[in-house]
Amino acid sequence: MLFSLAVIFLVGLSAAEIVKLLKLPRIIGMLAAGIVVGPYVLDLLDPTILGISSELRQMALIIILVKAGLSLDLSDLKKVGRPAVMMSFVPACFEILGYVCFAPYLFEISRPEAAVMGAVLSAVSPAVVVPRMVKLIEDKYGTEKSIPQMILAGASCDDIFVITLFSAFAAMAQGGTASAKDLFDIPISIVLGVVTGAVCGYILYFLFDTACKKEHNIRNSVKVIIILAVSFLLMSAESLLKGYAAFSGLLAVVAMACIIKLKTDESVWSGLAAKFGKLWIAAEVLLFVLVGAAVDIRYTLAAGGAAAMMIFIALAFRSVGVLLCLLGTKLSAKERLFCVIAYLPKATVQAAIGSVPLAMGLPCGKIVLSVSVLAIIITAPLGAMGIDRSYKRLLEDNSR
């Protein structure tokens, strides 16, 4: 395992720097490095580390979500209101509609199978979007109109909505029926996640504040470890409560970090944000190299032009959904275009559940996996590059 970790960090960082010299986003190099060193090309990674790949990716995602929560200003989020809520489900619904309308003709699959494909493919990648929105918040691009805050919040909820729909559609494709409970689980998981995270945030604030008043200052490094431990518990609660209650670990982590920022002094939360920013340097490499390692390049070659066409058709549907969410806002045409670009990348969810329909024995399993792999390869770099290269031209610099 130590050799595998060395390969992940050394090859991942080297590839990231090479693509950076080519003026491309670092993520492209990390994904490419993961594909090359992964089990489907050079096979340099230990099966043990591949076996815990999903857990390691989840840990990396937790780090950037805490950083995101410590960067979010809740008053800014309140100003956004309706568009932020709509961004959490409307673009995904439009994209699923695109798959339901066109996938049966391109791949000769049934409508329920097309809905399964849409649910797998329609989730935006928080791993790509969240760190970039955090950077925009820190650099104060588009923050006056709360654009990065809106996208960050929408991307965090989008995954929950889509994964819940995936469970319902998969049951239908297997010959079952989707129950009303599956749909009620969506708002329940969001509310329960936010409330639980907020309670944990208050408890941690009380702990840190009490220690400070009693002159038993807790070092920021120790606070980081405590926050990470509680975050791991919140993510674990999602799995433990499965089948009993709907719960979103991702939103709980963000809500906890938001409360810590809201209640503590700026010197405290800014110091914590800086610590998590340093942790993200290593976590980012681990996350994207392992996402790349999960990509089976053979399925990409088998997918063909029809899969690429379907992905771009679905992205067009998603873009219409994003623009619909922004109706009635004060955003300019350039800012709306940026929102469309920011909602393009796929990676995290597709790498996690792309192979599930195949494992379930669904007839559409192989083609769903093929399209998922191709979607990661096309949209993750496309979205990352689009965000990195367009934000200075499309968003206002509010730092001046």
Side-chain angles (χ1 to χ4, degrees):
M1 187 184 284
L2 292 178
F3 174 76
S4 296
L5 287 172
V7 168
I8 288 169
F9 286 116
L10 293 176
V11 177
L13 285 170
S14 300
E17 288 305 312
I18 289 168
V19 298
K20 188 179 176 182
L21 290 174
L22 299 172
K23 300 193 182 301
L24 296 172
R26 288 161 50 86
I27 178 184
I28 298 175
M30 295 175 202
L31 285 170
I35 293 171
V36 172
V37 303
Y40 307 108
V41 183
L42 296 181
D43 194 17
L44 297 179
L45 302 182
D46 193 307
T48 308
I49 204 162
L50 292 173
I52 60 168
S53 172
S54 61
E55 286 81 5
L56 291 172
R57 295 200 306 264
Q58 203 170 56
M59 287 169 65
L61 196 55
I62 284 169
I63 289 168
I64 194 58
L65 286 171
V66 173
K67 179 80 163 64
L70 292 170
S71 302
L72 264 177
D73 191 326
L74 293 178
S75 61
D76 285 343
L77 205 52
K78 284 179 187 174
K79 285 193 295 185
V80 181
R82 174 191 59 82
V85 175
M86 291 182 70
M87 290 281 275
S88 66
F89 69 94
V90 172
C93 287
F94 269 74
E95 189 165 357
I96 291 170
L97 179 63
Y99 280 100
V100 171
C101 290
F102 289 92
Y105 301 107
L106 288 171
F107 304 118
E108 296 182 0
I109 58 177
S110 67
R111 299 281 179 194
E113 289 173 334
V116 170
M117 179 183 286
V120 173
L121 271 296
S122 62
V124 71
S125 174
V128 178
V129 174
V130 171
R132 282 167 171 75
M133 294 308 109
V134 170
K135 184 178 185 299
L136 295 189
I137 292 169
E138 290 172 347
D139 294 347
K140 299 193 180 301
Y141 274 92
T143 49
E144 193 172 298
K145 294 182 181 178
S146 304
I147 295 168
Q149 294 95 318
M150 174 183 68
I151 294 170
L152 195 158
S156 299
C157 296
D158 175 272
D159 286 5
I160 303 152
F161 176 73
V162 166
I163 290 170
T164 306
L165 285 186
F166 169 73
S167 302
F169 292 149
M172 291 169 61
Q174 285 183 309
T177 55
S179 65
K181 179 182 176 297
D182 293 331
L183 296 178
F184 281 121
D185 279 349
I186 297 169
I188 290 170
S189 67
I190 291 170
V191 172
L192 196 56
V194 169
V195 170
T196 306
V199 169
C200 290
Y202 274 106
I203 291 170
L204 290 180
Y205 156 70
F206 180 76
L207 171 66
F208 299 155
D209 189 55
T210 303
C212 183
K213 285 177 180 175
K214 292 187 176 181
E215 298 184 353
H216 293 296
N217 285 332
I218 302 173
R219 293 176 57 189
N220 276 348
S221 299
V222 177
K223 289 177 183 174
V224 166
I225 294 170
I226 295 170
I227 291 169
L228 278 176
V230 175
S231 300
F232 294 161
L233 284 174
L234 290 171
M235 292 298 288
S236 300
E238 185 171 342
S239 301
L240 293 171
L241 292 173
K242 198 170 183 180
Y244 301 99
F247 178 79
S248 168
L250 291 179
L251 278 183
V253 170
V254 175
M256 177 188 68
C258 283
I259 294 299
I260 291 171
K261 178 184 178 179
L262 186 68
K263 300 298 292 181
T264 57
D265 292 331
E266 185 177 351
S267 60
V268 176
W269 65 256
S270 61
L272 290 172
K275 291 279 187 183
F276 276 98
K278 290 173 183 176
L279 280 177
W280 175 243
I281 295 170
E284 181 185 31
V285 181
L286 196 64
L287 174 61
F288 288 111
V289 172
L290 288 175
V291 166
V295 170
D296 189 340
I297 202 74
R298 295 170 299 177
Y299 284 108
T300 310
L301 299 173
M309 186 188 300
M310 183 66 252
I311 289 165
F312 283 108
I313 290 171
L315 289 178
F317 271 77
R318 168 173 279 272
S319 301
V320 172
V322 171
L323 293 173
L324 182 65
C325 296
L326 301 177
L327 287 176
T329 64
K330 295 180 180 179
L331 271 61
S332 66
K334 285 183 177 181
E335 289 164 338
R336 291 169 198 244
L337 175 59
F338 177 80
C339 293
V340 169
I341 293 168
Y343 252 51
L344 295 180
K346 325 274 182 193
T348 324
V349 173
Q350 291 70 29
I353 66 172
S355 60
V356 172
L358 184 62
M360 292 171 69
L362 293 177
C364 64
K366 187 172 181 179
I367 190 62
V368 170
L369 181 55
S370 301
V371 180
S372 298
V373 169
L374 195 61
I376 294 171
I377 292 171
I378 291 174
T379 66
L382 182 67
M385 204 182 312
I387 295 169
D388 292 348
R389 292 193 171 184
S390 69
Y391 76 90
K392 288 185 179 178
R393 291 194 293 271
L394 301 180
L395 299 181
E396 290 181 12
D397 183 354
N398 301 133
S399 63
R400 296 170 185 171

mmCIF file of all heavy atoms in Angstrom, residues 140-181:
data_model
loop_
_atom_site.group_PDB
_atom_site.id
_atom_site.type_symbol
_atom_site.label_atom_id
_atom_site.label_comp_id
_atom_site.label_asym_id
_atom_site.label_seq_id
_atom_site.Cartn_x
_atom_site.Cartn_y
_atom_site.Cartn_z
ATOM 1 N N LYS A 140 -13.191 36.560 -4.191
ATOM 2 C CA LYS A 140 -14.297 37.522 -4.323
ATOM 3 C C LYS A 140 -14.683 37.800 -5.778
ATOM 4 O O LYS A 140 -14.861 38.947 -6.186
ATOM 5 C CB LYS A 140 -13.972 38.824 -3.586
ATOM 6 C CG LYS A 140 -13.755 38.618 -2.090
ATOM 7 C CD LYS A 140 -13.743 39.913 -1.335
ATOM 8 C CE LYS A 140 -13.525 39.704 0.155
ATOM 9 N NZ LYS A 140 -14.535 38.861 0.782
ATOM 10 N N TYR A 141 -14.832 36.735 -6.538
ATOM 11 C CA TYR A 141 -15.383 36.853 -7.893
ATOM 12 C C TYR A 141 -16.847 36.440 -7.873
ATOM 13 O O TYR A 141 -17.177 35.317 -7.497
ATOM 14 C CB TYR A 141 -14.615 35.960 -8.874
ATOM 15 C CG TYR A 141 -13.389 36.624 -9.457
ATOM 16 C CD1 TYR A 141 -12.146 36.476 -8.853
ATOM 17 C CD2 TYR A 141 -13.475 37.411 -10.607
ATOM 18 C CE1 TYR A 141 -11.012 37.092 -9.375
ATOM 19 C CE2 TYR A 141 -12.350 38.032 -11.134
ATOM 20 C CZ TYR A 141 -11.130 37.870 -10.521
ATOM 21 O OH TYR A 141 -10.014 38.485 -11.041
ATOM 22 N N GLY A 142 -17.730 37.365 -8.242
ATOM 23 C CA GLY A 142 -19.166 37.073 -8.296
ATOM 24 C C GLY A 142 -19.827 36.965 -6.941
ATOM 25 O O GLY A 142 -21.002 36.573 -6.847
ATOM 26 N N THR A 143 -19.123 37.317 -5.865
ATOM 27 C CA THR A 143 -19.670 37.123 -4.519
ATOM 28 C C THR A 143 -20.753 38.144 -4.165
ATOM 29 O O THR A 143 -21.605 37.866 -3.324
ATOM 30 C CB THR A 143 -18.548 37.203 -3.466
ATOM 31 O OG1 THR A 143 -17.766 38.380 -3.699
ATOM 32 C CG2 THR A 143 -17.649 35.980 -3.533
ATOM 33 N N GLU A 144 -20.710 39.323 -4.792
ATOM 34 C CA GLU A 144 -21.724 40.337 -4.479
ATOM 35 C C GLU A 144 -23.119 39.843 -4.835
ATOM 36 O O GLU A 144 -24.098 40.146 -4.151
ATOM 37 C CB GLU A 144 -21.405 41.634 -5.238
ATOM 38 C CG GLU A 144 -22.206 42.817 -4.723
ATOM 39 C CD GLU A 144 -21.741 44.131 -5.334
ATOM 40 O OE1 GLU A 144 -20.573 44.504 -5.125
ATOM 41 O OE2 GLU A 144 -22.563 44.758 -6.023
ATOM 42 N N LYS A 145 -23.216 39.060 -5.916
ATOM 43 C CA LYS A 145 -24.505 38.464 -6.307
ATOM 44 C C LYS A 145 -24.624 37.015 -5.835
ATOM 45 O O LYS A 145 -25.542 36.304 -6.232
ATOM 46 C CB LYS A 145 -24.667 38.541 -7.831
ATOM 47 C CG LYS A 145 -24.782 39.966 -8.360
ATOM 48 C CD LYS A 145 -24.993 39.978 -9.863
ATOM 49 C CE LYS A 145 -25.076 41.404 -10.393
ATOM 50 N NZ LYS A 145 -25.225 41.429 -11.880
ATOM 51 N N SER A 146 -23.661 36.593 -5.000
ATOM 52 C CA SER A 146 -23.671 35.252 -4.390
ATOM 53 C C SER A 146 -23.699 34.119 -5.419
ATOM 54 O O SER A 146 -24.307 33.069 -5.184
ATOM 55 C CB SER A 146 -24.876 35.118 -3.441
ATOM 56 O OG SER A 146 -24.869 36.122 -2.477
ATOM 57 N N ILE A 147 -23.007 34.306 -6.536
ATOM 58 C CA ILE A 147 -23.017 33.284 -7.591
ATOM 59 C C ILE A 147 -22.267 32.020 -7.165
ATOM 60 O O ILE A 147 -22.827 30.916 -7.247
ATOM 61 C CB ILE A 147 -22.454 33.867 -8.907
ATOM 62 C CG1 ILE A 147 -23.386 34.974 -9.419
ATOM 63 C CG2 ILE A 147 -22.298 32.765 -9.971
ATOM 64 C CD1 ILE A 147 -22.816 35.809 -10.529
ATOM 65 N N PRO A 148 -21.003 32.122 -6.688
ATOM 66 C CA PRO A 148 -20.336 30.877 -6.269
ATOM 67 C C PRO A 148 -21.024 30.198 -5.093
ATOM 68 O O PRO A 148 -21.063 28.965 -5.019
ATOM 69 C CB PRO A 148 -18.913 31.322 -5.901
ATOM 70 C CG PRO A 148 -18.975 32.797 -5.733
ATOM 71 C CD PRO A 148 -20.093 33.283 -6.583
ATOM 72 N N GLN A 149 -21.607 30.996 -4.176
ATOM 73 C CA GLN A 149 -22.327 30.407 -3.036
ATOM 74 C C GLN A 149 -23.536 29.608 -3.521
ATOM 75 O O GLN A 149 -23.812 28.502 -3.027
ATOM 76 C CB GLN A 149 -22.799 31.509 -2.068
ATOM 77 C CG GLN A 149 -21.662 32.244 -1.376
ATOM 78 C CD GLN A 149 -21.268 33.524 -2.087
ATOM 79 O OE1 GLN A 149 -21.198 33.547 -3.305
ATOM 80 N NE2 GLN A 149 -20.978 34.568 -1.338
ATOM 81 N N MET A 150 -24.250 30.155 -4.495
ATOM 82 C CA MET A 150 -25.435 29.492 -5.044
ATOM 83 C C MET A 150 -25.054 28.172 -5.723
ATOM 84 O O MET A 150 -25.696 27.139 -5.516
ATOM 85 C CB MET A 150 -26.117 30.416 -6.056
ATOM 86 C CG MET A 150 -27.284 29.790 -6.813
ATOM 87 S SD MET A 150 -27.980 30.919 -8.032
ATOM 88 C CE MET A 150 -26.629 31.031 -9.229
ATOM 89 N N ILE A 151 -23.987 28.200 -6.510
ATOM 90 C CA ILE A 151 -23.554 27.000 -7.226
ATOM 91 C C ILE A 151 -23.050 25.953 -6.236
ATOM 92 O O ILE A 151 -23.347 24.756 -6.379
ATOM 93 C CB ILE A 151 -22.456 27.357 -8.255
ATOM 94 C CG1 ILE A 151 -23.045 28.250 -9.354
ATOM 95 C CG2 ILE A 151 -21.850 26.088 -8.875
ATOM 96 C CD1 ILE A 151 -22.018 28.866 -10.281
ATOM 97 N N LEU A 152 -22.316 26.401 -5.223
ATOM 98 C CA LEU A 152 -21.788 25.481 -4.207
ATOM 99 C C LEU A 152 -22.930 24.762 -3.480
ATOM 100 O O LEU A 152 -22.906 23.534 -3.312
ATOM 101 C CB LEU A 152 -20.927 26.272 -3.222
ATOM 102 C CG LEU A 152 -20.001 25.501 -2.290
ATOM 103 C CD1 LEU A 152 -18.882 26.418 -1.812
ATOM 104 C CD2 LEU A 152 -20.728 24.944 -1.088
ATOM 105 N N ALA A 153 -23.935 25.535 -3.058
ATOM 106 C CA ALA A 153 -25.071 24.942 -2.335
ATOM 107 C C ALA A 153 -25.864 24.001 -3.239
ATOM 108 O O ALA A 153 -26.239 22.896 -2.834
ATOM 109 C CB ALA A 153 -25.981 26.049 -1.799
ATOM 110 N N GLY A 154 -26.101 24.437 -4.479
ATOM 111 C CA GLY A 154 -26.857 23.608 -5.420
ATOM 112 C C GLY A 154 -26.157 22.308 -5.732
ATOM 113 O O GLY A 154 -26.782 21.234 -5.765
ATOM 114 N N ALA A 155 -24.841 22.363 -5.929
ATOM 115 C CA ALA A 155 -24.067 21.159 -6.254
ATOM 116 C C ALA A 155 -24.056 20.167 -5.095
ATOM 117 O O ALA A 155 -24.049 18.953 -5.304
ATOM 118 C CB ALA A 155 -22.637 21.544 -6.629
ATOM 119 N N SER A 156 -24.085 20.680 -3.866
ATOM 120 C CA SER A 156 -24.075 19.805 -2.689
ATOM 121 C C SER A 156 -25.396 19.050 -2.547
ATOM 122 O O SER A 156 -25.417 17.899 -2.113
ATOM 123 C CB SER A 156 -23.822 20.631 -1.413
ATOM 124 O OG SER A 156 -22.576 21.274 -1.485
ATOM 125 N N CYS A 157 -26.522 19.700 -2.902
ATOM 126 C CA CYS A 157 -27.841 19.050 -2.796
ATOM 127 C C CYS A 157 -28.157 18.192 -4.016
ATOM 128 O O CYS A 157 -28.909 17.215 -3.916
ATOM 129 C CB CYS A 157 -28.935 20.106 -2.646
ATOM 130 S SG CYS A 157 -28.827 21.067 -1.131
ATOM 131 N N ASP A 158 -27.612 18.564 -5.153
ATOM 132 C CA ASP A 158 -27.891 17.889 -6.431
ATOM 133 C C ASP A 158 -27.630 16.382 -6.339
ATOM 134 O O ASP A 158 -28.436 15.571 -6.791
ATOM 135 C CB ASP A 158 -27.014 18.537 -7.512
ATOM 136 C CG ASP A 158 -27.116 17.858 -8.869
ATOM 137 O OD1 ASP A 158 -26.360 16.898 -9.109
ATOM 138 O OD2 ASP A 158 -27.943 18.289 -9.681
ATOM 139 N N ASP A 159 -26.520 16.017 -5.716
ATOM 140 C CA ASP A 159 -26.147 14.601 -5.626
ATOM 141 C C ASP A 159 -27.156 13.782 -4.827
ATOM 142 O O ASP A 159 -27.482 12.648 -5.189
ATOM 143 C CB ASP A 159 -24.768 14.455 -4.971
ATOM 144 C CG ASP A 159 -23.657 14.865 -5.905
ATOM 145 O OD1 ASP A 159 -23.975 15.341 -7.003
ATOM 146 O OD2 ASP A 159 -22.484 14.725 -5.547
ATOM 147 N N ILE A 160 -27.649 14.369 -3.738
ATOM 148 C CA ILE A 160 -28.613 13.661 -2.892
ATOM 149 C C ILE A 160 -29.887 13.370 -3.691
ATOM 150 O O ILE A 160 -30.417 12.261 -3.679
ATOM 151 C CB ILE A 160 -28.977 14.521 -1.661
ATOM 152 C CG1 ILE A 160 -27.715 14.874 -0.886
ATOM 153 C CG2 ILE A 160 -29.982 13.828 -0.776
ATOM 154 C CD1 ILE A 160 -27.809 16.148 -0.133
ATOM 155 N N PHE A 161 -30.357 14.390 -4.385
ATOM 156 C CA PHE A 161 -31.569 14.273 -5.197
ATOM 157 C C PHE A 161 -31.410 13.176 -6.241
ATOM 158 O O PHE A 161 -32.267 12.298 -6.392
ATOM 159 C CB PHE A 161 -31.852 15.625 -5.862
ATOM 160 C CG PHE A 161 -33.026 15.619 -6.796
ATOM 161 C CD1 PHE A 161 -34.325 15.553 -6.307
ATOM 162 C CD2 PHE A 161 -32.839 15.669 -8.173
ATOM 163 C CE1 PHE A 161 -35.407 15.539 -7.170
ATOM 164 C CE2 PHE A 161 -33.917 15.661 -9.039
ATOM 165 C CZ PHE A 161 -35.202 15.605 -8.538
ATOM 166 N N VAL A 162 -30.278 13.204 -6.946
ATOM 167 C CA VAL A 162 -30.054 12.267 -8.047
ATOM 168 C C VAL A 162 -29.886 10.835 -7.555
ATOM 169 O O VAL A 162 -30.444 9.892 -8.138
ATOM 170 C CB VAL A 162 -28.818 12.707 -8.871
ATOM 171 C CG1 VAL A 162 -28.350 11.603 -9.794
ATOM 172 C CG2 VAL A 162 -29.152 13.956 -9.679
ATOM 173 N N ILE A 163 -29.131 10.646 -6.468
ATOM 174 C CA ILE A 163 -28.907 9.282 -5.956
ATOM 175 C C ILE A 163 -30.215 8.669 -5.461
ATOM 176 O O ILE A 163 -30.464 7.474 -5.643
ATOM 177 C CB ILE A 163 -27.838 9.293 -4.844
ATOM 178 C CG1 ILE A 163 -26.463 9.593 -5.476
ATOM 179 C CG2 ILE A 163 -27.779 7.963 -4.105
ATOM 180 C CD1 ILE A 163 -25.361 9.869 -4.482
ATOM 181 N N THR A 164 -31.089 9.501 -4.857
ATOM 182 C CA THR A 164 -32.400 9.004 -4.433
ATOM 183 C C THR A 164 -33.230 8.580 -5.635
ATOM 184 O O THR A 164 -33.878 7.523 -5.624
ATOM 185 C CB THR A 164 -33.153 10.078 -3.618
ATOM 186 O OG1 THR A 164 -32.323 10.508 -2.530
ATOM 187 C CG2 THR A 164 -34.456 9.532 -3.071
ATOM 188 N N LEU A 165 -33.215 9.395 -6.692
ATOM 189 C CA LEU A 165 -33.936 9.034 -7.918
ATOM 190 C C LEU A 165 -33.360 7.766 -8.538
ATOM 191 O O LEU A 165 -34.103 6.932 -9.065
ATOM 192 C CB LEU A 165 -33.861 10.180 -8.928
ATOM 193 C CG LEU A 165 -34.738 11.409 -8.674
ATOM 194 C CD1 LEU A 165 -34.636 12.375 -9.849
ATOM 195 C CD2 LEU A 165 -36.195 11.031 -8.455
ATOM 196 N N PHE A 166 -32.035 7.614 -8.469
ATOM 197 C CA PHE A 166 -31.400 6.417 -9.023
ATOM 198 C C PHE A 166 -31.959 5.150 -8.362
ATOM 199 O O PHE A 166 -32.266 4.167 -9.035
ATOM 200 C CB PHE A 166 -29.882 6.493 -8.828
ATOM 201 C CG PHE A 166 -29.174 5.199 -9.126
ATOM 202 C CD1 PHE A 166 -29.023 4.759 -10.432
ATOM 203 C CD2 PHE A 166 -28.682 4.414 -8.100
ATOM 204 C CE1 PHE A 166 -28.384 3.556 -10.711
ATOM 205 C CE2 PHE A 166 -28.038 3.224 -8.361
ATOM 206 C CZ PHE A 166 -27.893 2.788 -9.673
ATOM 207 N N SER A 167 -32.105 5.176 -7.042
ATOM 208 C CA SER A 167 -32.645 4.020 -6.320
ATOM 209 C C SER A 167 -34.053 3.696 -6.794
ATOM 210 O O SER A 167 -34.407 2.525 -6.998
ATOM 211 C CB SER A 167 -32.659 4.285 -4.812
ATOM 212 O OG SER A 167 -31.371 4.574 -4.348
ATOM 213 N N ALA A 168 -34.872 4.745 -6.992
ATOM 214 C CA ALA A 168 -36.254 4.542 -7.432
ATOM 215 C C ALA A 168 -36.305 3.996 -8.856
ATOM 216 O O ALA A 168 -37.031 3.034 -9.147
ATOM 217 C CB ALA A 168 -37.016 5.863 -7.343
ATOM 218 N N PHE A 169 -35.511 4.585 -9.757
ATOM 219 C CA PHE A 169 -35.521 4.146 -11.158
ATOM 220 C C PHE A 169 -34.953 2.732 -11.310
ATOM 221 O O PHE A 169 -35.416 1.950 -12.145
ATOM 222 C CB PHE A 169 -34.718 5.123 -12.025
ATOM 223 C CG PHE A 169 -35.357 6.480 -12.162
ATOM 224 C CD1 PHE A 169 -34.569 7.622 -12.315
ATOM 225 C CD2 PHE A 169 -36.725 6.636 -12.127
ATOM 226 C CE1 PHE A 169 -35.148 8.876 -12.436
ATOM 227 C CE2 PHE A 169 -37.316 7.887 -12.248
ATOM 228 C CZ PHE A 169 -36.521 9.002 -12.394
ATOM 229 N N ALA A 170 -33.925 2.406 -10.510
ATOM 230 C CA ALA A 170 -33.337 1.067 -10.573
ATOM 231 C C ALA A 170 -34.361 0.014 -10.162
ATOM 232 O O ALA A 170 -34.439 -1.073 -10.765
ATOM 233 C CB ALA A 170 -32.110 0.988 -9.672
ATOM 234 N N ALA A 171 -35.188 0.325 -9.152
ATOM 235 C CA ALA A 171 -36.245 -0.602 -8.720
ATOM 236 C C ALA A 171 -37.265 -0.803 -9.840
ATOM 237 O O ALA A 171 -37.717 -1.931 -10.094
ATOM 238 C CB ALA A 171 -36.931 -0.060 -7.470
ATOM 239 N N MET A 172 -37.603 0.284 -10.542
ATOM 240 C CA MET A 172 -38.547 0.192 -11.656
ATOM 241 C C MET A 172 -37.966 -0.639 -12.797
ATOM 242 O O MET A 172 -38.651 -1.468 -13.405
ATOM 243 C CB MET A 172 -38.899 1.600 -12.161
ATOM 244 C CG MET A 172 -39.734 2.407 -11.196
ATOM 245 S SD MET A 172 -39.854 4.145 -11.682
ATOM 246 C CE MET A 172 -40.648 3.997 -13.283
ATOM 247 N N ALA A 173 -36.675 -0.444 -13.100
ATOM 248 C CA ALA A 173 -36.033 -1.176 -14.202
ATOM 249 C C ALA A 173 -35.930 -2.670 -13.898
ATOM 250 O O ALA A 173 -35.885 -3.498 -14.807
ATOM 251 C CB ALA A 173 -34.644 -0.600 -14.468
ATOM 252 N N GLN A 174 -35.903 -3.010 -12.603
ATOM 253 C CA GLN A 174 -35.844 -4.419 -12.206
ATOM 254 C C GLN A 174 -37.220 -5.063 -12.153
ATOM 255 O O GLN A 174 -37.357 -6.225 -11.783
ATOM 256 C CB GLN A 174 -35.171 -4.562 -10.835
ATOM 257 C CG GLN A 174 -33.656 -4.391 -10.876
ATOM 258 C CD GLN A 174 -33.032 -4.605 -9.516
ATOM 259 O OE1 GLN A 174 -33.449 -4.017 -8.525
ATOM 260 N NE2 GLN A 174 -32.019 -5.454 -9.472
ATOM 261 N N GLY A 175 -38.233 -4.275 -12.517
ATOM 262 C CA GLY A 175 -39.586 -4.821 -12.530
ATOM 263 C C GLY A 175 -40.393 -4.456 -11.307
ATOM 264 O O GLY A 175 -41.547 -4.864 -11.164
ATOM 265 N N GLY A 176 -39.814 -3.663 -10.409
ATOM 266 C CA GLY A 176 -40.527 -3.236 -9.214
ATOM 267 C C GLY A 176 -41.212 -1.901 -9.449
ATOM 268 O O GLY A 176 -41.392 -1.460 -10.584
ATOM 269 N N THR A 177 -41.599 -1.269 -8.371
ATOM 270 C CA THR A 177 -42.233 0.049 -8.465
ATOM 271 C C THR A 177 -41.548 1.001 -7.494
ATOM 272 O O THR A 177 -41.042 0.590 -6.457
ATOM 273 C CB THR A 177 -43.728 -0.014 -8.107
ATOM 274 O OG1 THR A 177 -43.869 -0.594 -6.802
ATOM 275 C CG2 THR A 177 -44.492 -0.846 -9.126
ATOM 276 N N ALA A 178 -41.553 2.268 -7.845
ATOM 277 C CA ALA A 178 -40.968 3.289 -6.964
ATOM 278 C C ALA A 178 -42.034 3.753 -5.988
ATOM 279 O O ALA A 178 -43.128 4.132 -6.404
ATOM 280 C CB ALA A 178 -40.458 4.455 -7.791
ATOM 281 N N SER A 179 -41.754 3.704 -4.720
ATOM 282 C CA SER A 179 -42.742 4.096 -3.704
ATOM 283 C C SER A 179 -42.687 5.606 -3.462
ATOM 284 O O SER A 179 -41.695 6.268 -3.770
ATOM 285 C CB SER A 179 -42.461 3.358 -2.390
ATOM 286 O OG SER A 179 -41.218 3.763 -1.865
ATOM 287 N N ALA A 180 -43.792 6.123 -2.900
ATOM 288 C CA ALA A 180 -43.834 7.555 -2.571
ATOM 289 C C ALA A 180 -42.761 7.892 -1.538
ATOM 290 O O ALA A 180 -42.241 8.997 -1.504
ATOM 291 C CB ALA A 180 -45.219 7.918 -2.037
ATOM 292 N N LYS A 181 -42.413 6.907 -0.701
ATOM 293 C CA LYS A 181 -41.394 7.119 0.331
ATOM 294 C C LYS A 181 -40.065 7.531 -0.286
ATOM 295 O O LYS A 181 -39.340 8.356 0.269
ATOM 296 C CB LYS A 181 -41.213 5.841 1.149
ATOM 297 C CG LYS A 181 -40.151 5.936 2.245
ATOM 298 C CD LYS A 181 -40.002 4.623 2.970
ATOM 299 C CE LYS A 181 -38.856 4.691 4.002
ATOM 300 N NZ LYS A 181 -37.544 4.931 3.402
#
